[in-house]
Amino acid sequence: MTMNSFMPVRLFTGKGCIREHENEFTRYGNKALIVTGKHSAKECGALDDVTEVLERNGITFELFDEITQNPLLTDCMRAGAAASASGCTLVIGIGGGSPLDAAKCISVFAANPGLTREELYSLHWPNRPLPVIAVGTTAGTGSEVTKVSVITVPEGRKKSFHHEQIFPAAAFGDPSYTESLPAGFTVSTGIDALAHAVESYFSRNANEISQCYSVRSVRLLLPALRLLAVKCSSPSGISAESGRPLLSWEDREALYHGSIYGGLAINITGTCLPHTMGYLMTEQHGIPHGFACAVFLPAFLRINRDAVPEIYESFFEAVGITPEEFGSIIRTLLAGIKPQVSEEEIQREHSRWINNSSILKGWGTITPEMCDDILRSLAS
Ligand code: NAP
Ligand code: FE
């Protein structure tokens, strides 16, 4: 096993980290495009913290607050063109994975006016993308520390691109921003982080360092996910928790750190079958990203149990939980997520699983027919 890895992001975490490290914002020129979703950047306080620091340091800015969940390529192209026309030198993404991934994509278009979709995805960019600062507001994707951007193309498919030039130049992770996350998104984003750690551990690309990150991630995530599972299984369910503090500061911090470790792990290995098949659940069934991927974790773990029992055992020993309890936490957190996939959809999507590089990264022999059966089994 190697230790091959590369992660050049200047990472700052902790309560108040933006103000504490405000000099970081002065490294990348004097005009920023701030990229956010509709509400959450304002609601959680991150936007105010960023603009206060920019104003104090004489950095002007424009705001693009139209990023939706599963960000659209067309919006990224539009924002990139606007950033280019107004001479922005820096893109600041504030939000969950959607605004952060969008900021990475926008930074490419901003530095390369007129770039086409084909050129974006073929990674033929004449100019280096603008620097990106990522300010995370969910404990989930770990996009703060990855060279990946997942964008929805006009046909409605989620399509990622990977390039070392889209690593954020700097990332800020203040877990207090996650306190305003609704209960459902706290669970969905937390289970996304768990999926990253698990998929990475069981990737053929896993190495010494990625597995350390995976194990640390799971160990940090599990206590809070256990608590959330208890709340999910209470008679009134997790929706009754809205408006109450769902988790303590310590739990929020552990979830956030766990998500960063998950990002560090997939930055080395990429994701496997659950993410590949999860995209379909988001595209066709509107299921939030974390839940969409995690519905495939039980099948993924079963495949690994049979294909690589020694790795399977080493995983559960390292993370300090039995496979049974692990499975039960996942099932409880996924309660109510039961996508009904029709036979017609299964046939239509079959070709997606043929020679899919992310699926082939997993252990064992995962055939497209097995993927069809996994989809059939979701409803049961
Ligand atoms: P998200 O799509 O960014 O946000 C989900 C929802 O949560 C939105 O409604 C958002 O509101 C809201 N929200 C975010 N932060 C909040 C806060 N602090 N308080 C209240 N509401 C908040 O969710 P995500 O799960 O973090 O990101 C998912 C995306 O990331 C997917 O597109 C996925 O494919 C991608 N992803 C990327 C990577 C990577 O390595 N690059 C890895 C995994 C997943 P607003 O719309 O108002 O912001
Ligand atoms: Fe994910």
Side-chain angles (χ1 to χ4, degrees), residues 36-41 43-44 67-71 94-101 104 136-152 158 176-182 185 188-189 192 196 263 266 271 275 279 282 288-290:
T36 70
K38 219 39 254 130
H39 307 291
S40 70
E43 192 188 335
C44 73
I67 298 301
T68 56
Q69 290 180 54
N70 310 300
I94 306 177
S98 298
L100 300 192
D101 283 5
K104 293 173 181 177
T137 67
T138 63
T141 69
S143 180
E144 295 89 330
V145 293
T146 71
K147 55 178 179 284
V148 183
S149 170
V150 188
I151 302 295
T152 298
K158 285 171 76 79
S176 56
Y177 297 145
T178 67
E179 282 165 358
S180 56
L181 260 179
F185 276 118
S188 172
T189 51
D192 180 31
H196 296 161
I266 56 170
T271 50
H275 266 66
Y279 287 173
T282 298
H289 173 72

Side-chain angles (χ1 to χ4, degrees), residues 313-332:
E313 272 170 33
S314 78
F315 173 77
F316 285 103
E317 196 182 320
V319 299
I321 188 172
T322 63
E324 292 71 29
E325 198 202 342
F326 195 76
S328 151
I329 291 173
I330 293 173
R331 273 195 308 280
T332 309

Side-chain angles (χ1 to χ4, degrees), residues 132-177:
V132 170
I133 292 181
V135 178
T137 67
T138 63
T141 69
S143 180
E144 295 89 330
V145 293
T146 71
K147 55 178 179 284
V148 183
S149 170
V150 188
I151 302 295
T152 298
V153 296
E155 306 85 89
R157 287 275 286 260
K158 285 171 76 79
K159 202 164 149 45
S160 63
F161 64 98
H162 305 221
H163 198 296
E164 286 182 1
Q165 291 180 359
I166 61 165
F167 270 119
F172 291 85
D174 182 339
S176 56
Y177 297 145

Side-chain angles (χ1 to χ4, degrees), residues 36-120:
T36 70
K38 219 39 254 130
H39 307 291
S40 70
K42 293 185 196 79
E43 192 188 335
C44 73
L47 181 62
D48 280 349
D49 289 349
V50 168
T51 54
E52 183 195 305
V53 160
L54 296 181
E55 280 162 4
R56 200 162 41 235
N57 287 281
I59 301 166
T60 58
F61 59 87
E62 295 188 7
L63 178 64
F64 186 90
D65 63 359
E66 298 172 45
I67 298 301
T68 56
Q69 290 180 54
N70 310 300
L72 303 177
L73 180 65
T74 44
D75 286 341
C76 294
M77 285 177 147
R78 203 156 48 85
S84 168
S86 60
C88 288
T89 56
L90 160 71
V91 180
I92 303 176
I94 306 177
S98 298
L100 300 192
D101 283 5
K104 293 173 181 177
C105 184
I106 289 167
S107 75
V108 181
F109 286 118
N112 294 281
L115 196 80
T116 63
R117 164 185 170 171
E118 289 67 33
E119 288 164 333
L120 173 78

